[in-house]
Amino acid sequence: MSATEQDAADAAAWYGARLGWPTAPYPASAPGQEPGTGRPRLATGVRFDVLEVPAEAGDEVLGRLPGPAAGPVVRHGARMRLLVAPGCAEELPGLLDWLEWGGVALDLVALGRGGSMPVPALPGAARGPGEPFWVRPPLARRGGEGDGDRPVPLPALAGPPGCPGHPGPARACGTGGGAPDLVRLVAALATACHRVRLFPPPGRRAARNRQAWAFS
């Protein structure tokens, strides 16, 4: 196991002890890779689900929503992963329909039960090239000195079924009162993903044009 893999394994153990986040099985080993090696992963659908979007869309949303409204956020290369309450991944298709985004091609991926994501570097720790890291960490300082850190609330569907802002009969398991509103977050993410698709950044637009020429 390399030093980077060991750091990731130590981080996974810390997330499990501090936040109760379970790890997921290692993915299948690549050719020439020893069994059980590689970067460990955190299981989704247990303590949190994930909404994954292009980093440009994520940056746009984070610039518009204050920290508590978006929940914890991980950056990994060209992708951004926003942690939401467990059960939200199952709600996403119906929520997009309710928000009138159904049928629109959005680069918005939901990871729920049975999924996983690579373990991010610990908040504030040094990280290697290409390693996932926290843009908005999962812990926040409490109000007073010496109070320690508290978990950041995860976005969830607000209120009981039938209330304004609730699109259907099911409800994601939130973190209790005061959880950020999933509807507001998904609406912002869908809009940003659609804008990035219509008006991609220059580098991505050039890559897409090269691909189009390659298949013409």
Side-chain angles (χ1 to χ4, degrees):
M1 181 180 290
S2 68
T4 300
E5 290 167 353
Q6 183 60 58
D7 289 343
D10 293 341
W14 185 88
Y15 291 124
R18 182 66 179 83
L19 296 170
W21 292 355
T23 55
Y26 279 88
S29 298
Q33 186 179 9
E34 295 182 14
T37 61
R39 191 173 191 86
R41 303 178 72 87
L42 296 172
T44 58
V46 182
R47 299 302 299 270
F48 61 87
D49 285 356
V50 168
L51 301 181
E52 183 180 303
V53 298
E56 299 89 352
D59 285 336
E60 178 181 329
V61 170
L62 297 187
R64 293 166 48 195
L65 297 180
V73 181
V74 174
R75 173 77 181 259
H76 191 186
R79 306 292 290 177
M80 197 170 283
R81 301 185 180 111
L82 295 89
L83 273 59
V84 294
C88 290
E90 298 176 6
E91 299 285 351
L92 182 62
L95 182 52
L96 288 173
D97 284 343
W98 186 75
L99 291 168
E100 300 184 349
W101 285 105
V104 179
L106 300 171
D107 192 1
L108 172 54
V109 180
L111 302 175
R113 186 165 296 277
S116 65
M117 74 172 188
V119 170
L122 289 175
R127 64 180 188 275
E131 191 174 6
F133 63 94
W134 292 103
V135 177
R136 293 185 178 177
L139 294 173
R141 178 65 58 183
R142 295 183 187 273
E145 285 292 330
D147 285 345
D149 295 333
R150 59 177 177 80
V152 173
L154 302 179
L157 291 176
C163 76
H166 194 292
R171 184 183 183 216
C173 299
T175 53
D181 182 15
L182 179 69
V183 176
R184 181 186 179 195
L185 177 60
V186 169
L189 288 173
T191 301
C193 286
H194 189 55
R195 184 176 292 114
V196 167
R197 180 172 176 270
L198 293 177
F199 309 104
R204 183 177 296 183
R205 188 183 307 122
R208 191 169 69 179
N209 290 340
R210 286 195 300 270
Q211 186 178 26
W213 277 107
F215 288 93
S216 61

